[in-house]
């Protein structure tokens, strides 16, 4: 039954229902690069970042509507930027760590490539936005990750990439590492920035008996220069600490901790629309 028919059936009350139409009723279908999770389209794969010739407006449009394929990118003259784990070629000076870009780069969800690494929160957010998307919220990430196997092992073939290789693998290449919604690599491979900022955490107390996944969201630093940004899922170095409950907002990695300005080879992102 459409909302128009509901209005006819219930009169004035139905007009109120139509005005309050939920987002889930408005989102009819997600583009091929993503899956519908609740009322949001979540990218199937961890983001890879691409430099596209400005003259190729058709390819840019395909990226922005979520229909670009790997074949489109390679045949269209696009160049992948900062793939994990090598992070080479690096982000250009025109798209530096601040995210204050001068030349656009685009975040794409495709299988069969290394995900982006060595990317700050600011670069990730801008790459998503230039592609018509945004970073997931922490809540959206948790929802989309449901059902992804929590690793105890990594067989190097189909399990989530959580240890052993010490490097990332191509997106979607670990067949068993998919959530109930059909989202790949939410556990391991690269950790993923989400949108939320919090005070920089100081402790990693874990989840207790609830989960053996890492949990560094406790205490608030009074000395850190800047906030923390949440990182989810664990990476190819996390082993059993990776998982759908892996959550890090603390000074665990490097000198910047999980500052939005942090960038490391095991840290990437995913977009939503």
């Amino acid at each position: 039954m459409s909302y128009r028919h509901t209005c006819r059936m219930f009169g004035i009350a139905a007009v109120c229902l139509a005005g309050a139409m939920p987002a889930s009723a408005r989102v009819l279908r997600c583009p091929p690069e993503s899956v519908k999770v609740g009322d949001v389209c979540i990218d199937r794969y961890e983001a890879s970042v691409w430099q596209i010739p400005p003259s190729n407006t058709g390819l840019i449009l395909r990226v922005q509507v979520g229909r670009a394929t790997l074949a489109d990118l390679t045949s269209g003259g696009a160049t992948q930027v900062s793939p994990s784990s090598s992070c080479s070629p690096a982000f250009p000076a025109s798209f530096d760590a601040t995210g204050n870009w001068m030349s656009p780069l685009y975040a794409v969800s495709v299988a069969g490539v290394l995900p982006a690494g060595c990317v700050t929160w600011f670069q990730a957010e801008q790459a998503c936005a230039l592609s018509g998307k945004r970073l997931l919220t922490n809540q959206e990430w948790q929802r989309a990750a449901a059902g992804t196997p929590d690793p105890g092992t990594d067989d190097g073939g189909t399990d989530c990439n959580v240890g052993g290789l010490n490097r990332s693998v191509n997106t979607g290449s670990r067949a068993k590492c998919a959530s109930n919604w059909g989202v790949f690599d939410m556990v391991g491979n690269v950790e993923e920035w989400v949108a939320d900022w919090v005070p920089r955490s100081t402790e990693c107390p874990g989840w207790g008996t609830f989960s053996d996944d890492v949990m560094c969201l406790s205490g608030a630093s009074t000395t850190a220069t800047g906030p923390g940004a949440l990182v989810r899922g664990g990476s190819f170095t996390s082993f059993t600490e990776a998982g759908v409950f892996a959550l890090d907002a603390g000074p665990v990695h490097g000198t910047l901790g999980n500052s939005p300005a942090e960038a490391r080879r095991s840290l990437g992102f995913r977009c939503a629309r």
Side-chain angles (χ1 to χ4, degrees):
M1 180 180 291
S2 70
Y3 273 80
R4 178 177 298 174
H5 291 156
T6 303
C7 289
R8 290 176 178 173
M9 185 177 296
F10 294 102
I12 295 174
V15 173
C16 297
L17 284 173
M21 185 184 295
S24 57
R26 296 195 299 269
V27 179
L28 300 178
R29 184 173 59 185
C30 293
E33 70 169 7
S34 59
V35 296
K36 187 172 182 288
V37 181
D39 58 357
V40 179
C41 295
I42 305 292
D43 278 0
R44 294 178 188 271
Y45 306 107
E46 293 172 321
S48 51
V49 175
W50 298 80
Q51 192 169 37
I52 300 175
S55 60
N56 197 339
T57 56
L59 178 56
I60 292 170
L61 179 60
R62 287 187 67 81
V63 167
Q64 292 173 334
V65 299
R67 293 187 172 276
T69 65
L70 181 56
D72 292 334
L73 293 164
T74 54
S75 66
T79 303
Q80 191 176 0
V81 175
S82 195
S84 175
S85 310
S86 69
C87 301
S88 178
F91 278 93
S94 59
F95 206 100
D96 70 14
T98 68
N100 292 319
W101 54 272
M102 293 176 284
S103 297
L105 297 176
Y106 302 92
V108 187
S109 167
V110 289
V113 297
L114 294 174
C118 298
V119 55
T120 69
W121 184 98
F122 302 102
Q123 290 169 317
E125 175 66 11
Q126 290 298 316
C128 285
L130 285 160
S131 303
K133 300 183 283 189
R134 58 175 174 79
L135 289 175
L136 284 67
T137 67
N138 187 52
Q139 179 189 32
E140 290 166 348
W141 192 99
Q142 190 68 58
R143 184 186 302 154
T148 306
D150 196 320
T153 60
D154 179 352
D155 65 2
T158 59
D159 291 343
C160 294
N161 178 29
V162 298
L165 293 178
N166 196 36
R167 60 175 173 81
S168 61
V169 296
N170 284 348
T171 52
S173 64
R174 296 296 183 94
K176 293 180 182 177
C177 195
S179 75
N180 292 339
W181 300 92
V183 183
F184 285 85
D185 302 320
M186 298 203 79
V187 172
N189 218 24
V190 290
E191 303 162 286
E192 300 179 13
W193 288 117
V194 293
D196 306 59
W197 287 12
V198 295
R200 195 90 60 84
S201 297
T202 58
E203 300 176 19
C204 298
W207 290 97
T209 59
F210 179 71
S211 172
D212 61 2
D213 296 350
V214 67
M215 198 286 283
C216 298
L217 186 59
S218 181
S221 175
T222 59
T223 60
T225 54
L230 296 185
V231 170
R232 298 304 311 266
S235 77
F236 55 78
T237 65
S238 297
F239 292 92
T240 58
E241 288 191 337
V244 298
F245 300 111
L247 171 63
D248 189 355
V252 176
H253 302 282
T255 57
L256 293 177
N258 281 337
S259 158
E262 167 78 345
R264 54 184 181 270
R265 71 188 187 102
S266 62
L267 177 55
F269 67 103
R270 185 186 305 266
C271 304
R273 66 173 80 229

